[in-house]
Amino acid sequence: MERKDQMDLFGAVALIAFALNLAFNQVVISVTNGGFSPVFQAGVRSAGAVLVLLIWMRLRGVGFHVPRAAWLGGIISGLLFSLEFMCLFSALDLTTVSRASVIFYTMPVWLALIAHVFFPGERLTGPKTIGLILAMAGVAIALADRSGGKVSWTGDLLALTSSLCWAGIVVCVRLTPLAKVPPAQQLMFQVLISAPILLILAPLFGPLIRDVAPIHVAGLLFQIIAVASLGFLAWFWLMSIYPSSSVASFSFLSPVFSVLLGWILLSENVAPSVWGALVLVASGIYLINRKPRVPA
């Protein structure tokens, strides 16, 4: 498909579906934690994604040649990827999907702050600053509210750490020669490095296997195929077709869908303050990613 200058119906539907897929994945991780320990689950997911990517690359005739200059960036992104999902999977074991998602999906906030310092062409504008204030107020509200059932300071801080690691990966890619490496190879670096790290560390966090049932195995397969490999490849493909600002503007949907699915599918008790935090965070992300209007 040829490069497009603006979003069309197909792109909008595809990005909404991707946001829904990511949100549903938060629910899947939380449920699958019932059968596998979080870090072990994350390690198996990365290992499975390596196999799926290898098959996909073989079928597509895509090689794994990466310039030596990009190796350092690839290794750093892989280490950040390991920490990101070790923290996120553990967070979803300690707190609710709604709380973890509101905090985790603030990644554009931290990225905007970092970009203001390191990328001269991405200074904070008025709308972006308002968006930052709104999103950070939402996070503060979410952290301050300790009511409800499954609430954990550790879980909240782990979700925040995973969000910062996610932003760190984006910055790493942009500041290193890894930016010139095709998306499939970038993703392969991340899952290939994270798989052994997570699997080696997993025994330090308790028993690897909990009460495994078919639903937990199905959840793990869903993560491997629909998210960690083919899902992210689809997102990279959309990024190659549509303007990055237009693609990013849909990111506010993921925390919205996550909270709704946690409420609907897991019967989570979402406190009014969390709904309020969600509105602030989603609004802030939208303003941060909104493309400024060009005067006629």
Side-chain angles (χ1 to χ4, degrees):
M1 188 177 288
E2 62 181 11
R3 181 80 181 177
K4 298 182 181 295
D5 296 328
Q6 58 185 4
M7 187 62 59
D8 56 18
L9 180 60
F10 173 81
V13 171
L15 286 166
I16 291 172
F18 181 74
L20 185 59
N21 185 45
L22 288 184
F24 182 63
N25 185 54
Q26 306 296 302
V27 174
V28 171
I29 293 171
S30 181
V31 171
T32 308
N33 276 339
F36 305 97
S37 70
V39 180
F40 179 63
Q41 180 190 166
V44 173
R45 186 185 85 151
S46 286
V50 170
L51 294 177
V52 174
L53 282 173
L54 284 174
I55 294 172
W56 181 86
M57 292 171 76
R58 180 66 180 271
L59 293 175
R60 301 277 297 182
V62 178
F64 188 58
H65 173 71
V66 177
R68 189 174 295 273
W71 284 15
L72 179 60
I75 292 171
I76 294 174
S77 71
L79 293 174
L80 288 171
F81 190 88
S82 304
L83 182 58
E84 174 189 348
F85 286 100
M86 180 171 66
C87 291
L88 178 61
F89 280 53
S90 298
L92 288 166
D93 196 43
L94 296 172
T95 192
T96 61
V97 168
S98 56
R99 291 184 64 86
S101 297
V102 167
I103 298 170
F104 175 65
Y105 283 112
T106 55
M107 184 277 280
V109 175
W110 320 122
L111 182 58
L113 285 172
I114 297 171
H116 178 73
V117 176
F118 290 101
F119 306 119
E122 298 186 26
R123 299 294 185 185
L124 290 175
T125 60
K128 283 188 175 183
T129 302
I130 295 173
L132 283 170
I133 294 172
L134 291 176
M136 294 180 75
V139 173
I141 291 173
L143 290 174
D145 179 25
R146 313 316 296 169
S147 63
K150 196 176 179 183
V151 177
S152 163
W153 272 113
T154 302
D156 291 348
L157 293 176
L158 285 171
L160 181 59
T161 301
S162 64
S163 181
L164 292 170
C165 287
W166 186 8
I169 291 173
V170 177
V171 174
C172 175
V173 171
R174 295 185 60 180
L175 289 179
T176 69
L178 191 63
K180 299 180 180 179
V181 174
Q185 285 87 334
Q186 288 185 30
L187 183 58
M188 178 62 84
F189 249 121
Q190 293 169 4
V191 294
L192 191 60
I193 290 174
S194 64
I197 292 175
L198 294 169
L199 292 174
I200 290 172
L201 293 178
L204 302 178
F205 295 85
L208 304 182
I209 306 298
R210 294 177 174 178
D211 188 15
V212 180
I215 191 174
H216 302 128
V217 176
L220 198 50
L221 291 174
F222 173 83
Q223 294 176 58
I224 291 171
I225 298 171
V227 180
S229 53
L230 301 184
F232 283 119
L233 284 175
W235 184 79
F236 282 126
W237 177 67
L238 290 169
M239 284 286 289
S240 70
I241 297 173
Y242 299 99
S244 58
S245 58
S246 297
V247 174
S249 66
F250 283 80
S251 61
F252 80 96
L253 291 173
S254 290
V256 175
F257 287 154
S258 294
V259 172
L260 289 174
L261 290 177
W263 178 47
I264 295 170
L265 299 179
L266 300 179
S267 300
E268 291 185 349
N269 179 24
V270 183
S273 59
V274 175
W275 288 114
L278 173 63
V279 171
L280 290 174
V281 169
S283 300
I285 292 173
Y286 176 77
L287 288 174
I288 289 169
N289 289 315
R290 190 182 67 172
K291 184 177 181 180
R293 292 184 178 181
V294 179

